[in-house]
Amino acid sequence: MRLLLIGPPGCGKGTQAVRLAEHYGVEHISSGDLLRRHVAERTSIGRAAERCMSRGDLVPDGVVMDILRRPVEAAAKRGGYILDGFPRTVQQAESAYLVAKALGASVRIALFLQVSRPELIRRLLDRGARDGRTDDTAEVVNHRLDVFGQLTEPLLDYYSGRETLITVDGDRPVDEVTRSAISQLGAALQHRAGRIEQIG
Ligand code: ADP
């Protein structure tokens, strides 16, 4: 299973990624978590990324590729991954495609977790009050949602033309979202297996 999870900030990607990784027995790789670890450890990548992250801007594509390449390659060899938060731009998706192709691992599924903007704002401000994540303040949250619309949403068109794209309604209780994701993924995998048999 090689799954890309796409969704706006606050849609519950991280929560669902952990659950799906457990269900399919593959690794969960979160670009945001890896970046936050660099920030906490004050590495040179962390120092460069921190400014972008606290403003709600994306970290440059090259930096993200550098920190993800090794974990993704290792996970691909061990049977797969759930990628959470990457790719986030069409440019990142194109680089990821080339890396995956070189590994002979280019067939993937993209899952879009859809949640309405008012619900996203509510969840993110709640999380900011609870966990103190510095990018979960009203101003930064709105900016992150705008960045998502401008840079990440175009990925949906990109993937619907190339790979299997599934849209899951994330505006429901966590367990329901997980159940629906697993059932839609099952159907998509079956459909694809059928198609490959027909071609073969
Ligand atoms: P959220 O989806 O809630 O914004 P993440 O933990 O996925 O949270 O990301 C937090 C921040 O980390 C982003 O606002 C961005 O600055 C940076 N980031 C994470 N993944 C990427 C990526 N693939 N490309 C560029 N920046 C990223």
Side-chain angles (χ1 to χ4, degrees):
M1 167 64 73
R2 288 184 298 275
L3 180 67
L4 312 176
L5 261 183
I6 303 171
C11 71
K13 281 191 310 285
T15 305
Q16 296 301 332
V18 170
R19 290 165 161 238
L20 293 173
E22 199 174 308
H23 180 84
Y24 292 106
V26 295
E27 268 172 70
H28 167 215
I29 303 174
S30 156
S31 53
D33 286 351
L34 288 172
L35 285 167
R36 277 186 289 278
R37 199 170 314 153
H38 276 278
V39 171
E41 289 168 4
R42 306 219 48 77
T43 64
S44 56
I45 286 181
R47 283 197 300 272
E50 190 172 16
R51 256 167 292 149
C52 304
M53 292 171 79
S54 62
R55 283 196 304 258
D57 286 322
L58 296 186
V59 170
D61 290 341
V63 173
V64 177
M65 288 303 292
D66 277 353
I67 62 164
L68 280 174
R69 187 183 304 266
R70 245 183 288 159
V72 170
E73 284 179 359
K77 284 192 196 126
R78 281 197 294 267
Y81 47 75
I82 312 274
L83 257 181
D84 157 11
F86 177 91
R88 235 180 177 88
T89 62
V90 171
Q91 169 84 53
Q92 287 180 8
E94 278 166 355
S95 310
Y97 173 75
L98 293 177
V99 172
K101 202 168 138 200
L103 289 170
S106 50
V107 185
R108 291 163 307 181
I109 294 191
L111 188 155
F112 174 48
L113 203 51
Q114 190 166 38
V115 176
S116 68
R117 185 158 175 141
E119 172 65 10
L120 293 171
I121 293 178
R122 198 186 61 72
R123 289 185 191 175
L124 289 164
L125 295 184
D126 261 10
R127 184 169 77 182
R130 206 181 43 239
D131 306 346
R133 232 178 86 168
T134 51
D135 56 352
D136 284 342
T137 60
E139 196 183 329
V140 179
V141 158
N142 272 296
H143 182 60
R144 278 158 65 208
L145 291 172
D146 291 343
V147 168
F148 176 81
Q150 282 157 20
L151 297 175
T152 310
E153 240 167 23
L155 274 180
L156 301 179
D157 269 349
Y158 177 88
Y159 281 125
S160 68
R162 291 166 173 257
E163 335 236 348
T164 308
L165 175 72
I166 294 171
T167 299
V168 174
D169 174 10
D171 229 328
R172 295 174 297 165
V174 175
D175 282 344
E176 271 183 44
V177 175
T178 310
R179 264 199 303 276
S180 164
I182 290 171
S183 106
Q184 291 189 62
L185 281 167
L189 289 169
Q190 224 171 10
H191 175 75
R192 206 164 59 190
R195 232 176 34 202
I196 290 168
E197 221 167 79
Q198 269 173 16
I199 297 166

